[in-house]
Amino acid sequence: FQTSYGWCRRRQIIDLDKALTECGINPAVLRLENPPPLEITTYVIGGQVEGGLYALECLVFDDQKNVICEFDTAQIEVAVTHWVQIRKILKEFKGKVPRYVQWTDAGKDKVYWAGYFGTCMTGAAVHLLL
């Protein structure tokens, strides 16, 4: 995903019950007394000119769509020289069952060049650590 001079965002909501069922895993594993943690990862690199800006927010919701865990990088600078992995383990679910994950990330270049010279993102993933 290549961004431009203005903030470019992408968002996805993952239904964990549906995703686990599609992978042949019983979603009851989420309803254990201590549900397994979730690992979120992605890779980012700055724009082609002078680096870029990036932000990631992941929200975990219960069945009632109440936020039970969250992670927010805030706005960070990323260099043009190498890919950077963003990784976080989410495991504090306030005694609730995780059901949905909302992934929202965004990027842009730092110098407002016209065209697609902003932050690049790839490899976004949410893993259940069994």
Side-chain angles (χ1 to χ4, degrees):
F1 185 81
Q2 175 102 37
T3 65
S4 187
Y5 61 90
W7 282 103
C8 299
R9 287 178 172 67
R10 60 185 183 169
R11 174 176 290 157
Q12 181 175 2
I13 298 175
I14 302 160
D15 180 336
L16 294 173
D17 278 6
K18 183 178 177 185
L20 289 173
T21 300
E22 289 174 356
C23 292
I25 300 171
N26 187 336
V29 70
L30 296 172
R31 289 158 187 76
L32 297 172
E33 184 176 333
N34 293 309
L38 299 169
E39 175 189 50
I40 58 169
T41 58
T42 191
Y43 293 85
V44 297
I45 192 168
Q48 299 174 18
V49 183
E50 293 186 30
L53 301 174
Y54 178 76
L56 167 64
E57 177 189 63
C58 284
L59 302 174
V60 181
F61 299 93
D62 64 10
D63 282 334
Q64 307 302 313
K65 298 194 177 165
N66 299 305
V67 175
I68 59 172
C69 188
E70 58 189 293
F71 171 65
D72 188 346
T73 63
Q75 181 177 299
I76 59 174
E77 286 192 36
V78 287
V80 297
T81 55
H82 61 280
W83 287 91
V84 175
Q85 181 185 40
I86 308 290
R87 179 177 179 266
K88 180 71 176 176
I89 304 293
L90 304 175
K91 58 185 175 182
E92 302 296 327
F93 302 122
K94 301 179 184 175
K96 304 280 178 110
V97 174
R99 173 65 192 275
Y100 304 98
V101 176
Q102 177 180 289
W103 177 293
T104 307
D105 62 355
K108 68 180 221 130
D109 78 20
K110 290 178 16 182
V111 292
Y112 301 102
W113 278 49
Y116 294 96
F117 297 103
T119 301
C120 297
M121 298 112 72
T122 192
V126 176
H127 295 112
L128 184 67
L129 301 178
L130 295 173

